[in-house]
Amino acid sequence: MSAPAPSIRNVAIIAHVDHGKTTLVDGLLKQGTFRTGEVVAERAMDSNDLERERGITILSKCTAVTWKGVRINIVDTPGHADFGGEVERVLGMVDSVLLLVDAYEGAMPQTRFVTQKAFEMGLNPIVVVNKIDRPGVDPHEVMDQVFALFDSLGANDKQLDFPVIYASGRQGFAIRELGDERKDLGPILDLIIEKVPPAGGDLEAPLLMQVATLDYDDYLGYMAIGRMRAGRSKVGDRVLLAHRDGSKEEFRVQKVLGFQGLKRFELAEALAGDIVAFTGMANLNVGETITSIQNPTILPLLKIDAPTITMNFRVNDGPFAGKEGKYVTSRNLAERLQRELKSNVALRVEDTADAGVFRVSGRGELHLTVLIETMRREGYEVCVSQPQVILTTDPETGKTLEPYEHAVIDLDENYVGPVVAELNRRLGQMTEMRPSAVGRTRLEYKIPARGLIGYRSQFMTDTRGTGVLYTQFADYGPQGPDIRTRQNGVLISSDTGVSNAYGLFSLQERGQMFIGASISNYSGMIVGIHQRDNDLVVNPNKVKALNNIRTTAADEKLILAPPRQLTLEFALEFINDDELVEVTPASIRLRKMILDHNERKRSEKGPKHA
C-alpha cells in the first residue's frame, strides 16, 4: 500500500485563530477521503475537548487525502504563538504551506508568527483567501495586505510570487478566479498537486527520520510520527533511536502506520518522503532521530523559543485535598509533568527547594492554562501560584530586561476608551490606531508580558464579548515599574464549614462573593473580594441563633446577589503572590498560601522586625 515518493505531497495548513482552518480541512477530507454516506464529525481535526471548547488548535495533527492518485499529507498547525514549539516541529515535515487568510479580517499577527517560521525554513506558500461568501469582503485589499506582510517578513522573489485561490470552507467550494463557477474544493487539491514539489528523499540511502510529534497508545506504546527523510523501513526491521540525552536504543519496528482521513492504517513499508508513525521503542521524546544501525546519521535537535512565563505547581495540601481528584500526591504530579515534557517541548519543569513544589515555565499564559485545564480533566488536583515573567540581564549594560508582547486588538469603536485606559495602566505603548472596518478600530500595542496576565477576561467584559485580542512575543526590553493589578483586598473564611444564606447576607455589603449558599469552605479560603484594599477575615458559615423568639422562617426572605463565577484565567490574574489557585476536577478555589490566620499575621510582621 506504500506509495512511491513522486505521488506524495506534504503540506502544512497555517492560519490565524478562527480563520476557518479546521473547517476547511473537514471539507477537504470529505472531498477526497470519506465514502459517500460516511458520518464525519464537525471540526474533525480538533479532536481534543479543550480545542473544541476554545475553538483553537493546540496540538498538531496529521491527516491525508487521496486525490487523483496522489496522496496529500496535510498537517494542521496551531495558530497561537504560545504553541510555537509545536509549529516549528511541524514545518520541518512539509514542502509547502497553505496560508489561510480571512477575506474579511485580512492578515493577522498570529499568521505573521507562523509565516515567518515557514519563510525561515525556505517554504513557498499557497495563499487561500477563505470565507469569501461573507458579505462586505474585499479579496483584493486582503491580497495587498498579504503581499505587504510577506515583504515585511523578508520573503524572497519566489515566495512573493505566490499562487492564490479563493474559497469558503463552510460552503465547500474553491475557485481560481472570482468569476468561476462555485462547485467544490477540488481546485485547492489540484493546486497543491501542481505547486507543491513531490516529496523528495533518497530511497536507497540509509534510513533517516526525525520525530516531529509523538502519540501514546495503551496497546501499541509510543508512536513516533515524522517525515521519512531518506531510506525505507518495513515491519520487523531493527533500527536505531538516538535519544536527546545522547544515549542510543535499538528496537524492532513493530508497526508502520500511515494516515488516511482521520484513521491510521498499517503499511507494509515506509518510504522516503512519506509522513508515517513507527511503534516498538521503549522510550521516546520529540526531536529525536530514528536511523539505520549500520550507517547512523543523527540530526541536530530542534531549536525552540525560550519560555517567558513561570509559575509554581504544588501538591494540594488544603483541608479538601483528595476529595475530588484521583491523582493527588507529589509523585503523581511529578510523573505527569515529566510525561508532558516528552511532547510539549516549549515547556520547562524544574524542582524547587520545597518538596512537592515544581517550577513550570512556558511560552505564555495560554500555554500554561491549557496544561492546567488538561490535567484537571484527567483527575489531577494541583495548587498553582501567581504567574511571573522570566527576567533576563542585558550582557552589555547589566540592566534587568523583561519580555514584551506585540498585541493587536480589533474592537467596536464604542469600547476604545476603556480598553486604551486599561492598557495604558498596564504600561502598554500604542504603536498604531486605525479603522479596520465600518464602526471598528484596530489598535496595536507593545506591552510587557506581565501586563497581559489575566487581561483577556477583563478585555471580554470591557468590549461586551465583541473584541478580538491577539498577542505574540516581541522581544526583551527594559524592566518597567510595578503594575498594580488588584486594587482590592479579599474576604477570607475564618472557619471550616458550609456557607448559608444568613452568613452570606450580612457579608454582601462588604464586597462581592465568590461562593453561594451551601458551599463547603475552609479556614484560609478566599470567599470574596473586599470593597477596601485590606484583607478581612469573615465567617460565611455563621448560623442564626435560635430561641423562643427567633425562627428560621425569616431566612426565606434573604435575597443573595449571585456569586462571581471563577474561571481559571480570572483566578490566575486575580491572586497575589501570597495566594494560590486550588484546581481540582470539580472546583476552582482561591486560598491563602498560609491557611492559619494567626500564623499568617506572624509571617506578615516577620520581615518588618527582622
Side-chain angles (χ1 to χ4, degrees), residues 373-388:
E373 188 64 47
T374 307
M375 287 172 62
R376 114 181 238 214
R377 288 173 188 223
E378 291 170 3
Y380 286 83
E381 285 192 17
V382 62
C383 284
V384 290
S385 68
Q386 183 189 39
Q388 306 278 354

Side-chain angles (χ1 to χ4, degrees), residues 111-126:
T111 321
R112 183 185 186 94
F113 168 76
V114 189
T115 311
Q116 187 168 11
K117 296 283 183 199
F119 284 169
E120 284 169 10
M121 294 179 167
L123 301 175
N124 297 327
I126 295 172

Side-chain angles (χ1 to χ4, degrees), residues 50 54 56 58 83 365-375 568:
L50 258 179
R54 292 180 181 231
I56 58 173
I58 295 168
F83 305 109
E365 187 194 7
L366 184 65
H367 187 192
L368 294 175
T369 51
V370 164
L371 169 61
I372 297 165
E373 188 64 47
T374 307
M375 287 172 62
L568 187 56

Side-chain angles (χ1 to χ4, degrees), residues 59-75:
L59 307 166
S60 59
K61 298 170 202 69
C62 302
T63 184
V65 176
T66 304
W67 183 249
K68 297 183 177 173
V70 177
R71 194 154 118 160
I72 302 171
N73 287 315
I74 301 173
V75 188

